[in-house]
Amino acid sequence: MTKITVNLADSISVINPNIYGHFAEHLGRCIYEGVWVGEDSAIPNTGGIRNDVVAALRKLKPGVIRWPGGCFADDYHWQDGVGPVDKRPRRVNIHWGEVVEPNSFGTQEFVRFCRLVGAEPYFVGNVGSGSVRELREWTEYCNFDGDSTLAQQRAADGSPEPLDVTYWGVGNENWGCGGSFSPEDYGTEFRRYATFVRGFGKQLYVIACGPSNNDVEWTVRFFRKLRTDFWDFRNIHGYAAHYYCGTAGTATEYTVDQWYELIHKGLFMEPLVVQQRAAMDAYDPRRRIGLIIDEWGTWHPTEPGTNPRFLYQQNSLRDALVAATSLDIFNRHADKVVMTNIAQTINVLQAMILTQEEKMLVTPTGHVYEMYAPHQGGTALPIGIESESVTFKARNSENDLPLIAGSASLKGKRLFLTLTNSHASESLEVPVELLGGAEARSGSARVLTGDIHAHNTFDAPSVVQPEAMDVTCEGSHFVLTLPAASVVAVEIQL
Ligand code: AHR
């Protein structure tokens, strides 16, 4: 039995556009080549930033972009990336292939990139090898609207007006590459940073480092430490976990079982969110602190012939299904999940965009972001999903994957419904019922589908792209036919 019910008489919360955030690290070809080519490049650019990438990202509407890492962040000293470009130091990127980091792309360049794309910047500070002073001065450089030396430095760098950066992370993966702290030791560090980092007239949104995967113990120990030493939870607004669902097979070569296996691994995001928010509720019952997943996505073996430390991977329709089902989970938890950042924007891991010199393509995952953008700012609605399951084999055991997933949101008289059919080869008829007295007057839909291995290449960049799909949405009951292996976005006028 398969059935969707959408309850228009109730609501979850407004969907924060930052749920549709990205992550761009100084790793491989994400920043250099992906975003930044320099003003002298033959690739059309605006002040060194690729025009084709900016135009493509504007359509995907990332609410926020996290930068400069990742592991890179806890070895980054922001003063290296400001001032005249020819005077900036050359450093070794110790985490990602020991390549030389020229620092041509720094604070001003990143904020310019965000403004061009229409996203808010989210800076990650250095806890592992940096200092409280460094982060406190970075916020002053960005935000102080007065006559201090750092504000003068910003003006000399080209921005007399404050850069107005709201989102600040206190370290990255501080349980690992960010310093190998225990939750208690990180709690002590966080308290010092939270005491000195301030907005200079702007309300900052300060984000603490959460666990790897669903490590509930990290969360409990961190919040217990914070409550003991810092009882009012001052200056902590968000708490960020990371979850990579990994791979099954490779990016483009997998069996039908592995197709299901990876989508199934992606769905682990739901228990993670449920259990992390429950652990947070015990210490923050009024739910003032938002749950953030500021790194997530698939992680395949790197493409043959590329530098393994550059984490370059292809992106297929299977990645699109993982992205879509994850975004549906975040929408359904919009009352707690305030931001997520898929890893990473360009040329790294589950990228939205791939580039090869002057060529650029939007991946199936990128198309999902564009299709799902109408959810941003809508009110998430409770959705009931009854779905048949498919049984698949992974490592000699049998598992079940529910075939249908989805989420719904409302903006005025427009109901937006996103659904996925994970079946590798069969379309599914899905009865939809609108509860709460709502009636559909009309509807239109788009679909992303194809062969389960379908992906875009530089020679064939449009193999996977959204197409219009016929639907009839009238009254309170109607049926949608979801093609095999598909992501469907339906706009319904009430
Ligand atoms: O996204 C790649 C890396 O994965 C990040 O630098 C790190 O935070 C995570 O382990």
Side-chain angles (χ1 to χ4, degrees):
M1 173 64 182
T2 296
K3 187 177 176 191
I4 300 280
T5 48
V6 182
N7 185 357
L8 286 102
D10 208 347
S11 65
I12 299 170
S13 186
V14 171
I15 296 174
N16 194 320
N18 291 342
I19 284 180
Y20 291 79
H22 292 187
F23 167 40
E25 180 168 14
H26 286 239
L27 191 177
R29 297 187 303 111
C30 182
I31 297 298
Y32 299 107
E33 289 188 42
V35 176
W36 181 258
V37 286
E39 278 176 290
D40 298 335
S41 171
I43 297 172
N45 67 82
T46 302
I49 296 168
R50 287 182 78 128
N51 293 346
D52 53 354
V53 164
V54 167
L57 284 175
R58 286 188 72 81
K59 291 190 191 140
L60 273 46
K61 298 192 170 53
V64 64
I65 305 178
R66 177 176 185 254
W67 175 86
C71 295
F72 181 80
D74 283 278
D75 191 42
Y76 181 66
H77 302 279
W78 69 271
Q79 284 275 12
D80 288 352
V82 295
V85 175
D86 56 356
K87 300 242 161 26
R88 296 186 192 174
R90 295 171 67 76
R91 308 279 187 208
V92 178
N93 186 333
I94 58 168
H95 292 289
W96 304 117
E98 298 195 351
V99 296
V100 171
E101 163 61 55
N103 282 303
S104 335
F105 191 87
T107 297
Q108 299 273 349
E109 291 79 14
F110 176 65
V111 172
R112 255 197 299 126
F113 169 59
C114 288
R115 302 293 180 236
L116 288 170
V117 165
E120 285 295 318
Y122 164 14
F123 284 9
V124 182
N126 181 342
V127 172
S129 70
S131 66
V132 173
R133 177 176 177 176
E134 258 180 280
L135 190 55
R136 171 243 173 276
E137 291 187 348
W138 202 6
T139 58
E140 180 181 332
Y141 174 91
C142 289
N143 290 350
F144 186 61
D145 191 9
D147 193 24
S148 75
T149 300
L150 285 163
Q152 287 168 6
Q153 187 185 353
R154 181 191 68 232
D157 290 344
S159 297
E161 299 303 321
L163 298 172
D164 274 343
V165 179
T166 301
Y167 300 100
W168 294 86
V170 178
N172 167 78
E173 296 194 351
N174 300 94
W175 35 263
C177 67
S180 302
F181 291 94
S182 69
E184 290 80 12
D185 288 348
Y186 175 69
T188 302
E189 287 299 309
F190 180 84
R191 189 167 47 123
R192 292 176 60 232
Y193 277 79
T195 303
F196 292 99
V197 167
R198 57 200 60 221
F200 298 98
K202 182 169 184 62
Q203 177 60 54
L204 297 190
Y205 192 97
V206 178
I207 298 164
C209 164
S212 166
N213 292 327
N214 188 21
D215 182 353
V216 174
E217 192 189 335
W218 171 281
T219 300
V220 168
R221 286 172 58 187
F222 169 74
F223 278 105
R224 192 188 296 139
K225 175 73 179 168
L226 221 56
R227 189 179 59 186
T228 309
D229 293 352
F230 206 42
W231 59 272
D232 61 350
F233 290 152
R234 207 165 346 116
N235 231 359
I236 171 170
H237 308 99
Y239 176 72
H242 289 179
Y243 173 56
Y244 287 100
C245 64
T247 189
T250 72
T252 51
E253 289 175 18
Y254 38 85
T255 62
V256 170
D257 277 327
Q258 287 171 329
W259 158 272
Y260 292 128
E261 182 186 346
L262 188 58
I263 298 169
H264 188 257
K265 285 180 175 178
L267 292 183
F268 179 69
M269 189 67 88
E270 176 114 49
L272 183 153
V273 166
V274 168
Q275 288 167 33
Q276 289 296 325
R277 63 181 293 177
M280 290 170 73
D281 281 356
Y283 296 91
D284 173 35
R286 284 195 283 148
R287 297 186 176 165
R288 290 180 304 172
I289 302 170
L291 177 59
I292 292 172
I293 313 291
D294 65 11
E295 288 186 29
W296 65 273
T298 58
W299 193 314
H300 302 302
T302 47
E303 282 297 295
T306 64
N307 184 334
R309 295 305 290 160
F310 282 13
L311 309 185
Y312 177 76
Q313 63 188 41
Q314 247 297 356
N315 189 295
S316 76
L317 188 61
R318 185 177 60 159
D319 297 274
L321 267 285
V322 171
T325 49
S326 302
L327 292 170
D328 285 326
I329 292 167
F330 301 141
N331 289 339
R332 297 198 302 266
H333 288 276
D335 56 331
K336 187 65 180 176
V337 177
V338 294
M339 182 196 292
T340 88
N341 309 76
I342 191 169
Q344 299 193 2
T345 306
I346 307 163
N347 292 333
V348 171
L349 298 176
Q350 190 174 353
M352 264 49 57
I353 287 175
L354 301 179
T355 67
Q356 186 182 71
E357 295 166 356
E358 78 290 353
K359 294 184 187 163
M360 185 214 79
L361 63 82
V362 177
T363 65
T365 297
H367 286 305
V368 168
Y369 272 73
E370 185 268 321
M371 290 171 74
Y372 273 52
H375 276 307
Q376 297 184 20
T379 299
L381 301 176
I383 183 169
I385 303 172
E386 290 172 42
S387 172
E388 288 166 23
S389 294
V390 64
T391 302
F392 66 95
K393 277 206 178 109
R395 283 172 296 278
N396 296 326
S397 72
E398 293 206 326
N399 306 270
D400 288 330
L401 170 72
L403 289 167
I404 303 292
S407 65
S409 65
L410 188 68
K411 267 186 198 158
K413 291 271 179 205
R414 197 213 60 193
L415 171 64
F416 188 58
L417 190 57
T418 47
L419 296 169
T420 51
N421 172 10
S422 294
H423 202 292
S425 53
E426 288 176 18
S427 66
L428 285 171
E429 305 265 293
V430 182
V432 178
E433 182 179 355
L434 306 183
L435 304 178
E439 302 262 325
R441 287 154 47 108
S442 62
S444 61
R446 292 199 304 154
V447 61
L448 193 74
T449 188
D451 175 81
I452 61 166
H453 299 102
H455 57 280
N456 296 335
T457 64
F458 294 104
D459 292 333
S462 309
V463 172
V464 189
Q465 61 177 2
E467 310 279 353
M469 181 179 124
D470 285 340
V471 285
T472 305
C473 305
E474 280 171 12
S476 57
H477 293 70
F478 49 90
V479 176
L480 297 171
T481 303
L482 307 186
S486 68
V487 179
V488 174
V490 193
E491 286 218 29
I492 297 165
Q493 296 303 321
L494 300 173

